């Protein structure tokens, strides 16, 4: 987005309305070729630089390089778009519509391309498209040669990468041993290493790890006998309770470790829900000779986000288990983090508890740090409130919490903190004394300890306060951390800080695990400050300079009010889009699919709205445009609490269709704003449209960071609310600008019949 903003500012140095069509198209051809060439150069550079090892962190210089290496190419793209939009304001409806529809269509093959081309090579796809565009627009021999050369280079690089097993362009950390397999998909990158003959280490993105154990078929092709070692693990106390074990649901299959205990204990059916399809492929295909789990008749691997999958499974489970589902891959990818937070909300636990048998147990394992127990306290509060939602007002007989040590001395994150596993067991049926005794024996065997449960004295008084309905809310309010049970409207389980902590970025007493998450917030706050500075800089470069060489006083007043208008619609559009994404990713489950559906539907709708804006609003009356925009968005904000109704649609395809249809309508209404604004601002000067493009882009950058901050501190619905308010501000500014233009008889052809639009 920064590239598009800078490109718009640079495009304002010239008047694209002047000159012949040949000169105009030649300029576009050159910019398209520059975009293609610079993307290729950036791709080669970013896959050539040696990355820090997995255990290290990139330097600030490297972080800046990663952020800026694609900027030059995107500046060329921004200049291309700004010049195209400014050529003729009567084109804006069609051009803007085609731009958005093309962006929407690109959402569909993106997932397939990520799987097919494997990671960074996907960047050659837009380079190829831009090169083809440069060739189509070429009007001189040099432009034609450049277009042909770039098309040939892009195709050749894709072909060579595919022929070499997708090993030409890789992001490889320094000193990393050679992987035996590297696989990209739309969710993450998986690298497999051979630790020894009995183990495969699977690294997700940068540092999240899971392991696969060797258990090949017997020489006669039969399954291996269950091994007593399969039952071992610090996160598996649920099987020591010895309740009925027919159906088990495992959340997060990974390398298959969590599937082994229920196999050993004789579960009749084990449903393994895995969001990342690559893990299922590794078990069933790539490593099937190394690990035979995929061949076991009781094991069923299901490619689905677990909450959505369990909700629509039609099954009741004796055990629902989630062990350490918090992969830091989500921290790296950002957009996927809600796919895991959705497992730790009251609404999510209502799904899990409702799909347990009468004696079923929900068990989750998290880090337990005695020196900084924010995560443990929040997990207990979530369990207690969720049981209350399920009709169990007093949870003290229904919750067991114990710690278990993975290594002999725990896992030392810092010099003063030692972390162990903390596992919670939640049942709608109270735990009886024999079950508690069996758990005590299990703890003694592994060196663990029961920390909470029926008849168990707690070493942490906060545990007792949280589990007591009379003192729970007071304990939540008194905590220095945010330990309130998350909801789908604010599902950030891993962020145990209060909004007031955002102004205290140097606070250091969070504990290491919480501080890891807060580091992301620190980066986000810095990005927010940078985005704000960018908006201020763009406004100074645009609002306080003339819109054109012959601008009248009335024209300058209209231009300045329209600057606020484009600032408002740029800010509002991204807030609405990201607010809907934050909410719908919980309902749709698959993070990339949710992102694709939201982007595709809204961009498609916005494109259609832009194409229809001239017909629906032939005079570009800002009063009517603002009324339709604000009225529709107000209804959207009112409807957000009813979004869970989509979950009642049994078919996933119909659910997608219903959500997509809603988003197309919303996007269509938002699509009216940009073309209407351009038709008002274009008469104020020959540079006005390019500058409005820059303002709109800068506002979008600021809104993307603001959406995250608002969502974290105030919840998803308030992200949408701020988007609605942004459109209110934009509507007021647009109405004032139109009034000024009408009073000053500003030269405009807005009221005239639209000129014929160019052929597609």
């Amino acid at each position: 987005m920064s590239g598009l903003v800078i490109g718009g500012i640079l495009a304002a140095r010239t008047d694209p309305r002047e000159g012949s069509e040949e000169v105009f198209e030649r300029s576009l051809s050159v910019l398209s070729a520059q975009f293609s060439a610079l993307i290729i150069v950036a791709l080669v550079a970013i896959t050539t630089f040696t990355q820090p090892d997995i255990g290290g962190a990139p330097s600030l210089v490297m972080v800046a390089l990663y952020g800026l290496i694609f900027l030059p190419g995107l500046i060329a793209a921004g200049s291309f778009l700004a010049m195209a939009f400014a050529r003729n304001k009567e084109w804006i409806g069609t051009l803007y519509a085609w731009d958005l529809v093309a962006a929407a269509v690109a959402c569909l093959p993106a997932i397939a391309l990520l799987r097919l081309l494997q990671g960074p090579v996907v960047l050659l796809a837009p380079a190829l498209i831009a090169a083809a565009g440069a060739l189509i627009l070429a009007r001189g021999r040099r432009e034609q040669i450049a277009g042909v050369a770039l098309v040939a280079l892009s195709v050749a690089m894709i072909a060579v990468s595919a022929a070499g097993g997708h090993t030409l362009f890789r992001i490889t950390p320094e000193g990393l041993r050679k992987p035996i397999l590297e696989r990209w998909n739309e969710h993450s990158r998986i690298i497999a290493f051979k630790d020894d003959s009995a183990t495969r280490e699977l690294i997700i993105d940068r540092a999240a790890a899971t392991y696969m154990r060797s258990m090949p078929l017997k020489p006669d092709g039969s399954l291996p006998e269950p091994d007593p070692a399969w039952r071992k693990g610090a996160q598996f106390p649920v099987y020591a309770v010895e309740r009925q074990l027919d159906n088990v649901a495992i959340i997060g299959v990974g390398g298959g470790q969590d599937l082994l205990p229920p196999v050993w204990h004789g579960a009749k059916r084990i449903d393994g829900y895995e969001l990342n399809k690559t893990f299922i492929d590794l078990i069933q295909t790539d490593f099937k000779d190394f690990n035979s789990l995929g061949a076991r008749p009781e094991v069923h691997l299901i490619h689905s986000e677990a909450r959505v999958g369990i909700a629509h499974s039609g099954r009741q489970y004796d055990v629902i288990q989630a062990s350490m589902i918090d992969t830091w891959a989500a921290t790296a990818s950002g957009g996927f983090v809600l796919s895991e937070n959705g497992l730790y909300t009251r609404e999510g636990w209502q799904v899990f508890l409702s799909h347990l048998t009468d004696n079923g147990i929900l068990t989750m394992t998290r880090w337990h740090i005695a020196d900084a127990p924010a995560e443990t306290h929040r997990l207990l509060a979530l369990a207690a409130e969720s049981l209350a939602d399920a009709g169990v007002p007093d949870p003290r007989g229904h919750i067991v919490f114990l710690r278990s040590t993975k290594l002999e001395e725990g896992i030392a994150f810092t010099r003063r903190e030692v972390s162990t596993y903390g596992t919670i067991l939640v049942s709608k049926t109270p735990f009886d004394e024999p079950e508690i005794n069996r758990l005590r024996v299990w703890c003694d065997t592994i060196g663990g300890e029961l920390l909470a449960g029926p008849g168990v004295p707690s070493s942490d008084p906060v545990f007792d306060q949280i589990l007591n309905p009379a003192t729970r809310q007071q304990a939540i309010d008194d905590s220095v951390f945010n330990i309130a049970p998350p909801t789908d409207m604010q599902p950030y389980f891993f962020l145990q800080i209060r909004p007031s902590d955002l102004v205290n970025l140097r606070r250091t007493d969070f504990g290491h695990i919480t501080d890891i998450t807060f580091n992301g917030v620190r980066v986000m706050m810095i990005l927010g400050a940078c985005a704000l500075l960018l908006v201020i800089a763009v406004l100074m470069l645009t609002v306080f300079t003339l819109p054109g060489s012959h601008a009248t006083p009335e024209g300058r007043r209209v231009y300045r009010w329209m600057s606020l208008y484009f600032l408002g619609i740029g800010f509002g559009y991204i807030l609405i889009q990201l607010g809907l994404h934050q909410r719908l990713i919980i309902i749709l489950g698959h993070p990339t699919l949710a992102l694709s559906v939201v982007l595709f539907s809204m961009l498609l709708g916005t494109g259609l709205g832009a194409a229809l804006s001239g017909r629906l609003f032939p005079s570009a009356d800002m009063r009517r445009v603002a009324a339709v925009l604000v009225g529709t968005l107000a209804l959207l904000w009112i409807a957000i609490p009813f979004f869970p109704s989509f979950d009642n649609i049994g078919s996933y395809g119909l659910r997608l269709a219903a959500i997509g249809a809603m988003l197309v309508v919303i996007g269509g209404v938002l699509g009216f704003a940009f073309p209407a604004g351009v038709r008002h601002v274009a008469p104020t000067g020959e540079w006005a449209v390019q500058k409005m493009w820059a303002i709109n882009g800068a506002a979008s950058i600021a809104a993307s960071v603001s959406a995250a901050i608002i969502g974290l501190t105030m919840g998803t619905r308030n992200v949408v609310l701020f988007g609605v308010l942004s459109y209110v501000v934009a509507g007021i500014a647009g109405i004032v600008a139109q009034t000024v233009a009408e009073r000053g008889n500003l030269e405009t052809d807005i009221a005239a019949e639209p000129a014929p639009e160019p052929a597609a």
Side-chain angles (χ1 to χ4, degrees):
M1 290 301 298
S2 299
L4 300 185
V5 171
I6 297 171
I9 294 174
L10 294 178
R13 299 172 61 190
T14 60
D15 183 4
R17 300 182 301 181
E18 296 180 350
S20 65
E21 286 296 312
E22 180 178 346
V23 172
F24 174 66
E25 292 177 2
R26 176 176 288 180
S27 299
L28 293 183
S29 177
V30 170
L31 289 171
S32 191
Q34 289 176 352
F35 171 71
S36 177
L38 290 169
I39 290 296
I40 292 173
V41 170
L43 170 63
V44 173
I46 204 167
T47 54
T48 300
F49 295 134
T50 301
Q51 314 298 306
D53 200 351
I54 286 176
S59 66
L60 290 177
V61 174
M62 291 300 293
V63 170
L65 179 62
Y66 298 151
L68 300 175
I69 197 167
F70 292 98
L71 185 62
L74 293 169
I75 290 174
S79 297
F80 180 103
L81 291 171
M83 289 183 63
F85 289 146
R87 176 68 174 179
N88 186 334
K89 62 180 176 294
E90 296 303 336
W91 296 1
I92 185 62
T94 296
L95 288 180
Y96 191 53
W98 276 105
D99 174 58
L100 293 169
V101 170
V105 171
C107 295
L108 298 179
I111 293 176
L113 284 174
L114 283 164
R115 296 177 182 176
L116 178 65
L117 299 182
Q118 294 293 295
V121 184
V122 174
L123 294 171
L124 291 172
L128 175 59
I129 294 170
L135 183 59
I136 293 170
L137 292 168
R139 291 296 175 266
R141 185 168 179 79
R142 286 186 300 178
E143 290 80 20
Q144 292 173 344
I145 293 173
V148 170
L150 288 169
V151 168
L153 179 60
S154 300
V155 171
M157 292 175 73
I158 292 173
V160 170
S161 176
H166 305 289
T167 59
L168 180 60
F169 299 103
R170 280 186 170 178
I171 302 175
T172 306
E174 180 183 16
L176 192 65
R177 59 197 188 279
K178 187 177 180 180
I180 59 175
L181 178 143
E182 179 175 337
R183 185 74 50 79
W184 292 75
N185 62 16
E186 70 279 6
H187 188 74
S188 65
R189 175 186 65 166
I190 306 295
I191 306 177
F193 299 98
K194 182 179 179 180
D195 272 8
D196 51 49
S197 60
T199 309
R200 299 288 183 267
E201 181 182 12
L202 309 176
I203 301 293
I204 310 165
D205 287 341
R206 181 171 176 80
T210 183
Y211 297 88
M212 181 181 290
R213 187 178 301 185
S214 176
M215 50 185 72
L217 295 173
K218 293 180 180 179
D220 62 0
S222 61
L223 291 168
E225 297 297 328
D227 189 310
W230 294 6
R231 64 181 175 179
K232 295 180 179 179
Q235 66 271 44
F236 304 135
V238 65
Y239 302 104
V241 178
E242 297 184 7
R243 287 187 181 179
Q244 181 176 341
L245 196 66
D246 290 335
N247 297 312
V248 175
I250 301 297
I251 299 175
V253 170
Q257 293 284 85
D258 285 7
L259 299 171
L260 300 179
V263 170
W264 165 260
H265 287 280
K268 297 176 182 178
R269 180 185 175 98
I270 305 166
D271 289 341
Y273 292 93
E274 177 54 58
L275 183 63
N276 194 325
K277 181 63 163 55
T278 297
F279 286 120
I280 296 178
D281 293 338
L282 294 180
I283 293 173
Q284 293 183 334
T285 306
D286 297 85
F287 293 157
K288 65 179 181 179
D289 295 332
F290 178 79
N291 183 293
S292 61
L293 267 174
R296 300 196 72 89
E298 69 268 47
V299 172
H300 301 265
L301 302 182
I302 302 170
H303 179 213
S304 173
E305 192 275 331
R307 174 173 161 180
V308 171
I310 290 174
H312 296 275
S313 67
R315 294 188 175 278
Q316 299 295 111
Y317 293 101
D318 299 300
V319 170
I320 298 177
Q321 175 186 323
S323 300
M324 305 304 295
I325 305 300
D326 65 345
T327 61
W328 292 350
T331 305
S333 59
F336 297 155
V337 69
L338 291 187
S339 64
E340 292 168 342
N341 276 267
L343 300 175
Y344 302 94
T345 68
R346 290 174 67 169
E347 294 86 348
W349 278 44
Q350 288 173 27
V351 170
F352 300 142
L353 292 174
S354 67
H355 283 268
L356 287 175
T357 60
D358 291 340
N359 289 315
I361 299 174
L362 169 64
T363 177
M364 291 193 175
T365 300
R366 302 290 322 137
W367 295 116
H368 172 63
I369 304 175
D371 295 326
E375 189 164 291
T376 297
H377 290 168
R378 191 166 216 180
L379 189 64
L380 286 169
L382 172 61
E385 292 288 351
S386 298
L387 281 170
D389 295 337
V392 182
D394 190 341
R396 283 173 284 193
H398 302 259
I399 293 176
V400 173
F401 186 83
L402 50 88
R403 68 164 182 85
S404 49
T405 305
K406 184 177 181 181
L407 301 177
E408 286 188 5
E409 296 180 359
I411 301 172
F413 282 112
T414 68
R415 291 182 179 179
R416 68 179 183 85
E417 294 174 354
V418 174
S419 176
T420 60
Y421 281 169
T423 300
I424 193 168
L425 282 69
V426 182
S427 173
K428 291 181 288 186
T429 300
F431 292 96
D432 58 30
E433 186 175 350
E435 291 173 339
I436 296 298
N437 289 334
R438 284 193 285 271
L439 287 171
R440 282 197 176 96
V441 172
W442 185 87
C443 288
D444 291 340
T445 301
I446 68 161
E449 179 185 7
L450 275 173
L451 298 180
V456 177
S458 174
S459 60
D460 185 343
V462 178
F463 286 11
D464 297 325
Q465 294 171 21
I466 291 173
L467 295 178
N468 186 339
T471 59
R472 183 182 309 136
Q473 189 58 52
Q474 189 63 46
I476 292 172
D477 294 339
D478 290 345
S479 176
V480 296
F481 303 102
N482 180 9
I483 61 171
T487 66
D488 282 356
M489 287 294 188
Q490 203 164 353
Y492 310 103
F493 173 83
F494 302 108
L495 190 66
Q496 295 113 20
I497 62 172
R498 299 186 182 280
S500 58
D501 290 321
L502 296 180
V503 297
N504 187 11
L505 298 182
R506 299 187 65 183
R507 179 179 166 184
T508 58
D509 58 344
F510 291 116
H512 187 70
I513 295 297
T514 301
D515 200 52
I516 289 173
T517 311
F518 193 44
N519 278 339
V521 178
R522 292 184 178 107
V523 171
M524 188 169 59
M525 297 292 287
I526 294 171
L527 289 175
C530 293
L532 178 62
L533 291 175
L534 176 64
V535 171
I536 294 172
V538 170
L539 286 173
M540 292 182 65
L541 288 171
T542 53
V543 176
F544 300 109
T545 57
L546 295 177
S549 56
H550 304 290
T552 64
E554 291 81 5
R556 288 195 290 272
R557 288 184 62 196
V558 170
Y559 170 82
R560 285 168 182 160
W561 278 107
M562 291 307 294
S563 297
L564 181 59
Y565 173 86
F566 279 95
L567 185 72
I569 66 172
F571 205 87
Y573 187 90
I574 297 299
L575 286 176
I576 297 294
Q577 185 181 82
L578 293 183
L580 289 172
H581 179 240
Q582 289 176 10
R583 186 65 189 91
L584 292 173
I585 194 174
I586 302 292
I587 295 173
L588 291 174
H590 288 276
T592 310
L593 182 60
L595 179 62
S596 297
V597 167
V598 173
L599 288 179
F600 169 78
S601 302
M602 286 200 67
L603 290 172
L604 178 63
T606 306
L608 295 175
L612 294 172
S613 62
R615 295 180 175 86
L616 296 177
F617 305 96
S619 63
D621 186 351
M622 280 295 175
R623 299 171 184 86
R624 291 180 56 202
V625 173
V628 172
L629 279 167
V630 175
T632 302
L633 294 177
L635 290 175
L636 170 66
W637 183 79
I638 293 171
I640 287 177
F642 303 99
F643 277 16
S645 299
F646 285 116
D647 252 338
N648 297 329
I649 302 175
S651 167
Y652 194 75
L654 290 178
R655 208 177 316 142
L656 286 177
I659 290 173
M662 176 192 71
L663 295 175
V664 167
V665 172
I666 295 169
V669 173
L670 299 183
F672 301 151
F674 192 87
V678 168
R679 295 175 67 192
H680 275 281
V681 80
T684 65
E686 66 268 25
W687 306 316
V689 174
Q690 300 96 302
K691 292 182 176 181
M692 292 304 109
W693 174 257
I695 290 174
N696 188 259
S700 298
I701 296 171
S704 64
V705 182
S706 300
I709 296 174
I710 296 170
L712 288 172
T713 57
M714 303 174 66
T716 296
R717 197 178 182 203
N718 283 313
V719 177
V720 175
L721 176 61
F722 276 91
V724 176
L725 295 177
S726 297
Y727 274 99
V728 170
V729 171
I732 294 171
I735 292 170
V736 173
Q738 179 175 313
T739 303
V740 171
E742 291 170 347
R743 290 176 180 174
N745 295 316
L746 182 66
E747 181 184 353
T748 177
D749 57 0
I750 290 173
E753 289 294 323
E757 295 181 337

